[in-house]
Amino acid sequence: MIEYSQGDIVLKKIFLSLSISLAFFLIISSFFLLDKMVSYLFKGEVKNPYVFLVLGKDKEIEHTVRTDVIVVGVLDWKKGNLSFVSIPRDLMIEGKKINAIYNTYGMEKLFQIIESLLGLKPDSYVIFNYEAFKILGDELGPIEVIPNEVMFYEDLSQNLVIDFKPGVPYKLNGEQLLAYIRYRKDSMGDLARIERQKDVLKKLLSKALSRNPLEISVLYKKISPYIETDIGLPEILTLFSKLKNSVRVSFSTLPYKVDSDGSIFVDERRLGSFKKNLIGSSVQEKYRVNFLVVNISSLVSRVFEASLRGVWKDRVGFEPDRVVWEDVGISQKFEGDHVFIGEPEKEDYILGILKKAHPSRHFTVHRFDRPEDYTMYYTILEGLVKNRIYPDFPVSALILIDDFRE
């Protein structure tokens, strides 16, 4: 006779732990093989879309706790879409930075603010501290990163030291990986940190998907003491039963604008279309395309990257895979906008996306049907490599943007 009581306890620990953070929600795709078991254990209903708020909690200093990570997850289980929206921690809301709202006014007030921003009120929340992330990094690492700028910072009150050199590949585990994603003293501050977090979480997901369910369950057992959540086991089981095959995961950032004094506010002009696109089918459903955008304009600043990503997200629903904002020494060799088609079978799709993203621009299209196309292409790659920027291959479309005016 089989006893299920101990198994039920194990399942409860596993599924409750699944909701601890953005990275942990991504890893649940490893458990889809358990779908039939979940459907048998619990049959119920949960609202669609299901919205959850993920908060990364900093250490308490002088009775104050800041939410260092603020991410909204939106799960549309009918369409199989899981969308994550990062919110800059320094976003100004009602005269305060949003990372102070939870400590000052509580979770309900933060829920109300999220609803006012996205039109979706969270159904539940997950709060994790950085011990959980360190364990995740140790178990799934090392994760390779290449900083774009000098990263140095010391905080003796938190025993925190960050020291990374630009252009140098680093393979990081828990403590170092945490320091890397927390750094915010570079030219774009918290906005650059959000991009680093996205990059690291994507790589953690890739590592997690190579593990079997038993290994993942052991990992969750280790991190469970470091989370707080109000998500119940019945909800988790029901959500699992809804996700029959797989889920499409996407990342985005709440539309923002930077004031002249450096303050960050919601970009109301782009917010409306952003909310409409938040729930919907994947824009890249036809192809997996690797877009690499290189800056050859006079605007040599991270503002170029932030603005261009915002334009793409607003107009086509996703961001380029890589945006190189730095001057890589090729701007004098090219004039106007160019696109090099690296995967000819995807040309129509690529040009369609460019037309939507930049309707007023005229791109010179290079199809590698002339010797000079190869010469120009390798000139660009040489400039990138000299600046220790290494693209992910294959590059479907290499795009040069001149005279940035979006």
Side-chain angles (χ1 to χ4, degrees), residues 202-221:
K202 289 177 183 177
K203 292 173 180 176
L204 285 172
L205 171 62
S206 178
K207 294 266 189 170
L209 292 178
S210 67
R211 302 295 181 89
N212 62 51
L214 179 59
E215 291 174 317
I216 296 297
S217 67
V218 171
L219 171 61
Y220 287 151
K221 184 176 181 181

Side-chain angles (χ1 to χ4, degrees), residues 43-325:
K43 294 183 182 294
E45 289 301 324
V46 68
K47 63 169 292 193
N48 188 67
Y50 186 83
V51 184
F52 53 91
L53 177 63
V54 180
L55 303 177
K57 187 169 61 174
D58 207 343
K59 288 186 177 180
E60 183 174 325
I61 300 177
E62 297 181 354
H63 307 293
T64 298
V65 176
R66 303 292 186 188
T67 47
D68 224 21
V69 174
I70 305 174
V71 176
V72 179
V74 182
L75 174 60
D76 185 339
W77 46 262
K78 291 183 178 179
K79 295 180 179 179
N81 293 333
L82 180 56
S83 305
F84 291 103
V85 181
S86 297
I87 298 178
R89 54 164 275 170
D90 293 334
L91 186 74
M92 298 301 296
I93 297 291
E94 299 177 4
K96 284 183 174 289
K97 291 183 178 180
I98 195 170
N99 70 328
I101 298 297
Y102 170 65
N103 183 75
T104 306
Y105 302 108
M107 186 63 72
E108 184 57 34
K109 177 64 174 179
L110 190 54
F111 274 17
Q112 293 172 6
I113 289 173
I114 298 301
E115 183 177 19
S116 69
L117 291 174
L118 300 178
L120 297 168
K121 185 174 182 179
D123 301 292
S124 56
Y125 66 85
V126 178
I127 305 174
F128 68 96
N129 66 33
Y130 288 115
E131 287 299 318
F133 188 88
K134 284 193 288 186
I135 293 172
L136 188 66
D138 283 333
E139 295 296 324
L140 297 178
I143 301 297
E144 182 170 306
V145 301
I146 303 177
N148 290 326
E149 300 183 28
V150 172
M151 299 172 65
F152 182 81
Y153 177 69
E154 286 184 304
D155 186 344
L156 299 181
S157 67
Q158 300 194 58
N159 194 28
L160 175 63
V161 178
I162 298 172
D163 188 8
F164 298 115
K165 303 296 188 295
V168 178
Y170 292 91
K171 292 186 176 181
L172 308 180
N173 290 95
E175 188 81 41
Q176 292 178 312
L177 193 63
L178 175 61
Y180 177 76
I181 69 163
R182 293 185 66 190
Y183 185 77
R184 60 191 297 267
K185 296 296 181 179
D186 54 9
S187 59
M188 287 291 288
D190 189 53
L191 306 179
R193 180 169 64 169
I194 287 176
E195 296 306 316
R196 285 195 296 274
Q197 289 172 354
K198 290 180 185 177
D199 178 58
V200 168
L201 289 170
K202 289 177 183 177
K203 292 173 180 176
L204 285 172
L205 171 62
S206 178
K207 294 266 189 170
L209 292 178
S210 67
R211 302 295 181 89
N212 62 51
L214 179 59
E215 291 174 317
I216 296 297
S217 67
V218 171
L219 171 61
Y220 287 151
K221 184 176 181 181
K222 291 181 179 179
I223 58 181
S224 60
Y226 305 105
I227 67 167
E228 304 170 36
T229 182
D230 66 343
I231 302 178
L233 177 60
E235 291 171 296
I236 296 296
L237 294 177
T238 304
L239 290 171
F240 265 75
S241 70
K242 300 294 185 183
L243 299 172
K244 295 297 182 183
N245 297 310
S246 63
V247 60
R248 293 182 295 271
V249 181
S250 63
F251 297 83
S252 59
T253 303
L254 185 78
Y256 62 83
K257 58 184 179 181
V258 182
D259 207 352
S260 58
D261 64 355
S263 298
I264 300 173
F265 295 91
V266 176
D267 187 344
E268 300 288 350
R269 182 181 62 85
R270 294 192 288 125
L271 184 60
S273 59
F274 178 84
K275 289 193 290 187
K276 290 180 181 178
N277 291 330
L278 185 57
I279 301 295
S281 59
S282 171
V283 178
Q284 289 178 291
E285 58 188 6
K286 186 176 182 180
Y287 292 119
R288 174 65 187 99
V289 178
N290 180 11
F291 288 99
L292 169 62
V293 180
V294 179
N295 178 20
I296 60 170
S297 75
S298 58
L299 179 61
V300 183
S301 164
R302 282 192 180 274
V303 173
F304 173 92
E305 177 177 3
S307 299
L308 187 132
R309 288 187 179 279
V311 166
W312 276 57
K313 185 62 184 176
D314 185 32
R315 295 176 181 175
V316 300
F318 62 89
E319 302 174 9
D321 299 84
R322 184 82 179 266
V323 177
V324 178
W325 62 268

